[in-house]
Amino acid sequence: MIQKKDSSKVFIIGTFFLLISMFLAAAIIYEKNRKENNRIIKINLDTSVEKTLNWEFSTKTNLINAKIGQIYKIDFNVENYSSNETSGRAIYEVKPDFLNKYFVEIDCFCYKKQTLLPSEKSTYSITFYIDPKILSDLKPKDIKDINIYYTFLNI
């Protein structure tokens, strides 16, 4: 009878330590996921204009500390410095290239013909987010700054 009491105590103590270990493991996993879901990626925005297009193209926000999965809308200012009506089309490039598939446009003025009258100013915008798949596809050390280069071309 003494042996039954001893084995019951061992079972209860073992179960207690197993439950504590499972609780700690769950807490660690939760905290790790919470930190990754709040991960910030620095996005650098660079604007330029083809030399044959006499436009000014800029944004007030050249740097964004973007939370993965959050939607952002960025405005770009454009002004036609020429004395003629001119048209342009913007393109963009994401660097490094392997991060391109995680930059998701919801709405963009890019690739659409934009026409400005002489001295006309306009504002165009882009709405985007960084796909959360980036966290499962890449190691955190692989995720650095994202550089996005916008260029207006003369058309």
Side-chain angles (χ1 to χ4, degrees):
M1 191 145 161
I2 294 174
Q3 289 178 346
K4 258 189 168 180
K5 286 183 180 178
D6 288 340
S7 65
S8 294
K9 287 180 184 177
V10 170
F11 177 75
I12 290 172
I13 291 171
T15 303
F16 174 76
F17 282 115
L18 178 65
L19 289 173
I20 292 296
S21 299
M22 289 173 53
F23 174 76
L24 288 173
I28 290 168
I29 291 169
Y30 171 79
E31 186 64 20
K32 182 181 178 207
N33 286 340
R34 187 182 66 80
K35 284 181 182 176
E36 284 187 358
N37 288 340
N38 289 327
R39 182 94 195 258
I40 302 292
I41 294 182
K42 187 167 82 172
I43 300 177
N44 299 301
L45 302 173
D46 183 50
T47 57
S48 64
V49 178
E50 186 177 45
K51 291 183 183 194
T52 59
L53 187 62
N54 194 13
W55 286 11
E56 175 68 28
F57 177 42
S58 64
T59 181
K60 291 181 182 178
T61 311
N62 289 359
L63 177 64
I64 303 167
N65 290 316
K67 183 178 174 185
I68 294 173
Q70 184 171 328
I71 296 174
Y72 293 89
K73 180 180 179 186
I74 305 298
D75 289 331
F76 293 85
N77 300 312
V78 183
E79 183 175 359
N80 180 1
Y81 285 137
S82 77
S83 57
N84 300 316
E85 178 181 290
T86 54
S87 298
R89 178 174 293 131
I91 59 171
Y92 73 89
E93 182 178 17
V94 176
K95 292 290 183 179
D97 291 331
F98 71 92
L99 294 176
N100 190 44
K101 68 181 180 178
Y102 303 104
F103 179 75
V104 181
E105 296 174 34
I106 297 171
D107 184 37
C108 184
F109 65 93
C110 308
Y111 307 111
K112 299 173 191 165
K113 180 180 177 181
Q114 309 294 340
T115 301
L116 294 175
L117 298 172
S119 303
E120 182 180 8
K121 295 179 184 178
S122 190
T123 301
Y124 304 123
S125 64
I126 180 170
T127 306
F128 69 92
Y129 67 94
I130 303 300
D131 193 332
K133 289 180 186 175
I134 196 170
L135 296 171
S136 60
D137 290 353
L138 300 174
K139 297 174 189 166
K141 66 178 180 141
D142 293 336
I143 305 169
K144 297 182 179 171
D145 300 353
I146 296 177
N147 297 296
I148 305 174
Y149 302 96
Y150 292 90
T151 304
F152 249 109
L153 305 174
N154 191 3
I155 57 170

